[in-house]
Amino acid sequence: MNEVRPQLEELLFSSLENVLVESVETTDMAVRVEALSTARQAACPGCGRLSERIHGSYLRFPHDLPTAGKSVVVALRVRRFVCTDGSCPRKTFAEQVPGLTRRFGRRTERLRSTLISVGLALAGRAGARLADAFGTPVSRDTLLRLIASLPDPPTATPRVVGVDEYAQRKGQIYGTVLVDVETRRPIDLLPDREADTLAAWLAERPGIEIVCRDRAPFFADGAARGAPQALQVADRWHLWHNLGEAAEKCVYRHRGCLRPTPEHPEEPQKEPGPAASSPWPTGHRFAERTRAKHATIHALLAAGHSKRSVARQLGMTLNTILRFSRATTPEEMFTGQWQDRPTRLDAYKPYLHQRWQEGCTNAWKLWEEIKEQGYPRSYASVRAYVSRHLRGKPQPVGPRPPSARAITRWILTRPDSLPECDRIQLKAHLASCPELTALAEHVRSFACMVTDLQGERLPEWIESARAAADLPSLSRFAQYLERDLDAVIAGLTLPWNPGVVEGHVNRIKMLKRQMFGRAGFELLRKRVLLYE
């Protein structure tokens, strides 16, 4: 054993000093290592003075990393020293072995760091399952507690910082993530996306020179107040995305140009036939119920029952029995609220019929279109009208025109990257609509500014886009760019952009899913800043 002991010390405590292995005991389930501290003195945690006066000793049993599928327990004998400083409130203190133990610690430092790595990577439940798999069973709360006890990593003031929002609870609670664009590492998480919070964070770091952000007004205001010396750079991806949304609205506005109007031969007008004897066809639930009541009441009256007796038997009022008894046929009762009275949809029915003939068969899309025109009712009424009156109508014969989204995608795609068939279709549709031709020219001009970083051309582009009266969505997009003109020009001129921040936002989503939506802000912040 004397020959093996130095090898055990080298294997188990190679990075530690003043630790002596006395013996190793192995059982079927565990390995027990008996060791002792050999340091001659220790520093008081209260005053920091070194002491050599020993008060006593005791055993600690920290768990270590498992080996060969067996748990390892270190029976470590440590000493308690007497503090030699009379003014120190501590009279005695226990020594700690650097790199092996800490105050109140039940695990060795290497086991603790391993569990922390597992917790940062997998959080509570999944981390606990993995720890149990390699022989160190811990609870999910223990892993989360270890993560929460970690200090924030030291970070220097970045020169270029990226700012974006992330959802703590989608649609309800949002926070702010800040990333060092040069090192591509997260710097901090803020609990909200208010301008005051961002301004206070930036004001504490006066060395920031560039702030990369999207065009959200709260980020623009916070960056202007918190870092007035910094240059704000708008995100090119969001600029292109917003242009795509404006272009799709323009294409949809001119959707009538996508299909030529078919020429229908004039047909002789048919003389109106005789009106139907009943306003409701057979099988209508209100009509059948009224017919059944009429037949039952007249049968009871013919059998000699009085009107009051019929009312008692059928559970109806006497006035109802009188009205049915006076009607010789059930059709005389077909009056009132069930008749085809005027509705608020009547003014929009010609438009619905026109759009149906143009190929739009989506009831939700039709409802959105007439809602923009002022229709005040819900989607259900439009769906009912489409299913009853339009669903069986024939549509024009011929190929279905491409959707507004497809045309927009062709316009936004680099011409060299478009397939030949799509290029031919786009050329044909642009030739039939001069407004869409102008839209394509504006989009391609903006694309050149984005790809070639020609931000100095932006004021000229905005002026020409605002002059396009037939493209109101594009004009509004250009007007919005003017509100944040300096940041947009910087985004189209400088190579900086907050694309790396979007990657960290996606990583935050992954971390939140691992914690099943139960991640508080502090725990989420620790994982984002410490987990690589």
Side-chain angles (χ1 to χ4, degrees):
M1 186 63 189
N2 293 333
E3 298 177 358
V4 177
R5 187 179 301 164
Q7 299 179 5
L8 289 174
E9 293 181 5
E10 179 66 23
L11 177 64
L12 299 175
F13 308 110
S14 59
S15 60
L16 303 178
E17 298 180 355
N18 303 322
V19 175
L20 176 64
V21 175
E22 292 185 321
S23 64
V24 177
E25 298 178 4
T26 304
T27 62
D28 294 338
M29 301 297 295
V31 176
R32 177 187 173 98
V33 180
E34 293 189 0
L36 56 87
S37 174
T38 60
R40 296 183 57 184
Q41 57 186 3
C44 175
C47 61
R49 176 172 294 186
L50 294 176
S51 174
E52 297 182 355
R53 292 180 56 188
I54 298 176
H55 179 272
S57 64
Y58 67 99
L59 285 175
R60 296 183 65 174
F61 300 93
H63 288 262
D64 200 4
L65 285 171
T67 180
K70 299 180 180 180
S71 61
V72 177
V73 177
V74 180
L76 179 65
R77 181 166 292 278
V78 295
R79 292 158 295 176
R80 181 173 289 275
F81 287 84
V82 177
C83 184
T84 57
D85 188 354
S87 61
C88 182
R90 293 179 179 272
K91 302 304 179 183
T92 64
F93 61 90
E95 66 173 333
Q96 304 296 334
V97 180
L100 184 62
T101 63
R102 67 171 53 199
R103 195 179 182 196
F104 304 122
R106 299 175 60 186
R107 301 173 185 85
T108 61
E109 288 298 289
R110 55 189 172 191
L111 177 57
R112 174 187 170 87
S113 62
T114 301
L115 293 178
I116 286 175
S117 300
V118 172
L120 288 174
L122 299 176
R125 293 181 183 272
R129 289 194 292 267
L130 180 62
D132 183 64
F134 64 69
T136 310
V138 291
S139 67
R140 55 174 180 168
D141 294 329
T142 298
L143 291 176
L144 299 182
R145 191 163 49 246
L146 289 174
I147 296 174
S149 65
L150 295 175
D152 291 343
T155 56
T157 300
R159 189 177 70 91
V160 183
V161 64
V163 184
D164 203 352
E165 64 182 7
Y166 71 94
Q168 296 184 25
R169 180 172 293 179
K170 190 172 182 180
Q172 301 182 28
I173 304 175
Y174 287 86
T176 303
V177 56
L178 300 109
V179 178
D180 187 342
V181 177
E182 292 182 307
T183 62
R184 311 179 72 85
R185 291 185 57 85
I187 308 171
D188 205 349
L189 259 68
L190 304 181
D192 55 46
R193 56 178 180 181
E194 300 296 330
D196 295 338
T197 307
L198 178 61
W201 189 92
L202 293 173
E204 296 175 357
R205 296 159 179 83
I208 295 177
E209 300 177 6
I210 297 176
V211 177
C212 300
R213 58 169 179 82
D214 57 20
R215 293 168 53 226
F218 40 83
F219 287 154
D221 184 25
R225 290 193 281 122
Q229 78 286 352
L231 175 65
Q232 299 186 36
V233 178
D235 184 15
R236 291 189 291 274
W237 184 89
H238 282 93
L239 294 174
W240 185 251
H241 179 69
N242 295 338
L243 175 64
E245 292 176 338
E248 183 176 355
K249 293 179 181 178
C250 292
V251 174
Y252 190 75
R253 184 181 181 88
H254 296 275
R255 60 188 177 276
C257 303
L258 303 180
R259 181 202 292 270
T261 304
E263 298 181 359
H264 298 285
E266 296 183 359
E267 297 180 359
Q269 296 183 354
K270 297 181 179 180
E271 297 182 358
S277 60
S278 174
W280 291 325
T282 303
H284 194 284
R285 58 191 181 102
F286 298 119
E288 295 300 325
R289 189 172 64 184
T290 303
R291 291 188 178 102
K293 288 181 181 179
H294 184 273
T296 303
I297 291 172
H298 278 266
L300 291 175
L301 293 175
H305 295 272
S306 66
K307 294 181 178 63
R308 294 185 181 276
S309 175
V310 173
R312 285 194 300 269
Q313 294 181 48
L314 300 181
M316 299 180 182
T317 63
L318 181 60
N319 289 334
T320 303
I321 300 299
L322 290 174
R323 285 192 295 108
F324 272 92
S325 64
R326 296 188 189 110
T328 56
T329 61
E331 282 72 16
E332 298 179 16
M333 304 295 297
F334 293 170
T335 59
Q337 61 178 342
W338 299 333
Q339 294 297 320
D340 292 332
R341 297 183 299 173
T343 65
R344 296 188 180 184
L345 189 62
D346 293 342
Y348 305 93
K349 288 178 180 178
Y351 178 81
L352 295 178
H353 285 266
Q354 175 190 349
R355 293 290 292 122
W356 187 269
Q357 290 298 318
E358 292 177 357
C360 182
T361 59
N362 189 312
W364 182 272
K365 195 69 176 176
L366 294 173
W367 173 70
E368 287 182 335
E369 293 178 13
I370 63 174
K371 188 178 180 182
E372 292 180 356
Q373 301 175 13
Y375 179 64
R377 303 303 295 271
S378 65
Y379 160 71
S381 56
V382 178
R383 179 186 61 186
Y385 182 79
V386 168
S387 61
R388 292 177 184 174
H389 300 88
L390 299 180
R391 191 63 68 185
K393 279 195 169 186
Q395 291 183 281
V397 179
R400 184 171 182 174
S403 63
R405 180 164 295 182
I407 296 289
T408 306
R409 177 174 57 83
W410 295 342
I411 293 176
L412 294 175
T413 303
R414 187 189 297 269
D416 298 339
S417 303
L418 269 179
E420 184 65 24
C421 57
D422 294 345
R423 191 182 304 116
I424 294 175
Q425 289 190 66
L426 176 61
K427 185 177 180 180
H429 290 295
L430 293 183
S432 63
C433 183
E435 290 82 4
L436 295 185
T437 303
L439 173 65
E441 293 176 356
H442 285 296
V443 169
R444 288 166 184 169
S445 176
F446 194 89
C448 292
M449 289 190 293
V450 172
T451 55
D452 299 336
L453 298 181
Q454 299 175 350
E456 68 278 0
R457 295 173 47 195
L458 182 62
E460 179 185 353
W461 186 91
I462 291 178
E463 184 179 355
S464 62
R466 294 195 63 176
D470 296 331
L471 303 172
S473 298
L474 185 67
S475 179
R476 285 194 297 269
F477 170 72
Q479 182 179 356
Y480 292 150
L481 292 184
E482 285 187 326
R483 301 178 182 178
D484 200 15
L485 185 60
D486 294 338
V488 176
I489 292 178
L492 296 177
T493 306
L494 301 177
W496 304 107
N497 70 87
V500 62
V501 190
E502 296 291 342
H504 283 284
V505 171
N506 288 333
R507 191 166 71 93
I508 290 174
K509 294 178 184 178
M510 182 268 294
L511 296 178
K512 289 178 81 285
R513 291 188 185 103
Q514 284 183 346
M515 293 182 278
F516 301 96
R518 301 188 180 120
F521 171 73
E522 291 299 332
L523 178 60
L524 182 62
R525 181 174 178 272
K526 294 288 185 182
R527 292 195 67 194
V528 171
L529 298 182
L530 296 172
Y531 174 56
E532 298 182 2

